[in-house]
Amino acid sequence: MALQTAQPLLGSCGTSAHGNLLLLLLSLGWVFPSRAQAADSRLGVMTPWLQGTSRDLSWQQPELTVVLLRDRRDTEKKVCLPERKAHVIDENLVFYEEWELEACVDGALLAAQVDRVNMVPFTYQQLNVFKRKLDEFYPQGYPESLIQHLRYFFLELTPADIHRWNVTSLETVKSLLQVSKGQTMDAQVAALIARYVAGGGQLDKASLDTLATFGPTYLCFLSPEQLGSVQPSVLWAARPQDLEACRPPQMDILYPRARAAFQNISGSEYFMKIKPYLAGAPTEDLRALSHQKVNMDTATFKTLQTEAVLPLTIAEVQNLLGPNLVGLKAEQESSPVRDWILRQRQDNLESLGLGLHGGIPNGYLVMDLSFREALSGGARLLGPGPVLIAIPTLLLALIPK
């Protein structure tokens, strides 16, 4: 019955067989209007059919009306009426629809008058249109001449946008930090600092104080000198993920500052706060933690400096890791676990019952040949450092002949 009713109506529109099928499926509810819209752009059949049958499809009328409006708008947005062409960024553009802004506002005009954008209460959707226009005009990233005038338009940008910039002016950085205060802009601020520091820029105390009001995702982008001026409150707020990108010279600065910041707490609370900074801890501090039996996880142990781990005894490492000691087996080929294993006697490693291998074999001594130049006529086959010497061979050499 539905087929007989629909057939004359479809034929009256003069559509092809393919168009008839599309419209039939739409009328039966087997195809959503949003899906049919793409086909309509090729066939040119849906709009007149919908206009002629809107009364028959009252159950779909709200959705179909939206489709019709969008279809007309998509057609119209490709052409800007001459009298609607924008020659200045002002409050009149607030009354433009999004498609009109796309068609009637030029990227060059936006670039020249971007500071005016901040003077007009545009909607978020309109600002998104402006951003697309600027991105098209500057496909390689915004120049600093534009960045200097962004102000509140900066809030519309993403970290990926900012990482394409070249920022050299501290005043520009300060301006963008000020407009970002109180906003959810931690990632964007971190990207801004990264670009500024990468270009050799130096932050002053005022800018570091402003940075302290944001999440410390920017810490690893600062130089060791700048980290020396970071406020204790920033160290308290830092999360482990905020410090993952920090290099050893940076951790060497951050660790003692963090230890001083957390000096008034102790026990497990102290360990949880200092843990993200332990990549800068010296051997003596690791030994102190082992006496507290803090149960360090192997992921944190892997971040420790190799030079700080090597002097630790098996008992100290055992106390440091506690029940997490079993994790050394999975990490025995990675630094600093591998380097530490090479310094231990194999029989002592076996006493742990973890199946660790690579320690000093039984019956061998470790000797430092850094003084080899004092030895007579020996072939220089080895560089400075420890080597293994079999005890029987050494004893034979000492027996007088």
Side-chain angles (χ1 to χ4, degrees), residues 77-330:
K77 74 178 183 179
K78 298 176 182 178
V79 179
C80 176
L81 298 177
E83 64 271 18
R84 300 288 282 175
K85 182 69 175 178
H87 299 287
V88 64
I89 305 298
D90 59 16
E91 62 276 3
N92 292 321
L93 297 180
V94 171
F95 303 102
Y96 279 49
E97 295 186 44
E98 293 175 48
W99 69 265
E100 286 186 289
L101 293 178
E102 287 275 10
C104 301
V105 178
D106 187 67
L109 175 66
L110 268 176
Q113 301 185 17
V114 69
D115 53 336
R116 290 175 171 262
V117 174
N118 297 299
M119 304 168 60
V120 180
F122 291 113
T123 65
Y124 291 121
Q125 292 78 8
Q126 291 172 325
L127 291 175
N128 284 333
V129 173
F130 291 158
K131 180 183 180 301
R132 288 197 300 270
K133 302 291 288 186
L134 285 175
D135 291 346
E136 293 170 1
F137 192 70
Y138 293 113
Q140 303 302 320
Y142 300 172
E144 189 157 15
S145 58
L146 176 66
I147 299 169
Q148 291 172 345
H149 299 283
L150 286 179
R151 292 193 55 74
Y152 288 97
F153 192 76
F154 178 67
L155 305 180
E156 304 302 315
L157 304 178
T158 67
D161 297 324
I162 300 167
H163 277 296
R164 300 162 62 196
W165 294 357
N166 180 29
V167 184
T168 61
S169 169
L170 179 59
E171 292 306 313
T172 298
V173 172
K174 289 182 176 181
S175 172
L176 297 180
L177 289 180
Q178 286 297 327
V179 301
S180 302
K181 292 181 67 174
Q183 309 292 330
T184 308
M185 297 289 289
D186 292 347
Q188 287 87 337
V189 165
L192 175 65
I193 297 304
R195 296 308 304 150
Y196 178 64
V197 173
Q202 293 292 321
L203 298 171
D204 58 11
K205 185 180 184 304
S207 53
L208 288 172
D209 290 345
T210 304
L211 277 176
T213 64
F214 296 93
T217 54
Y218 57 84
L219 274 177
C220 293
F221 299 120
L222 302 182
S223 66
E225 294 75 19
Q226 293 166 344
L227 289 174
S229 301
V230 166
Q231 297 181 10
S233 60
V234 175
L235 305 178
W236 276 88
R239 304 163 299 172
Q241 58 266 37
D242 296 331
L243 304 174
E244 289 177 352
C246 286
R247 300 179 300 276
Q250 294 171 308
M251 296 307 299
D252 289 342
I253 299 296
L254 287 172
Y255 173 75
R257 289 184 58 78
R259 185 180 58 184
F262 309 144
Q263 61 183 342
N264 293 328
I265 58 176
S266 59
S268 60
E269 184 182 1
Y270 172 79
F271 177 67
M272 292 307 298
K273 293 303 298 181
I274 200 67
K275 187 167 71 168
Y277 300 93
L278 288 177
T283 301
E284 54 268 25
D285 286 12
L286 297 179
R287 284 189 172 130
L289 289 175
S290 73
H291 295 155
Q292 301 175 27
K293 298 183 178 180
V294 293
N295 297 336
M296 180 185 295
D297 56 90
T298 51
T300 300
F301 188 82
K302 285 179 60 179
T303 67
L304 303 179
Q305 296 184 35
T306 300
E307 294 76 12
V309 171
L310 291 181
L312 297 178
T313 67
I314 286 184
E316 289 168 340
V317 170
Q318 195 169 15
N319 288 336
L320 191 63
L321 298 178
N324 299 318
L325 186 71
V326 296
L328 292 184
K329 176 63 178 178

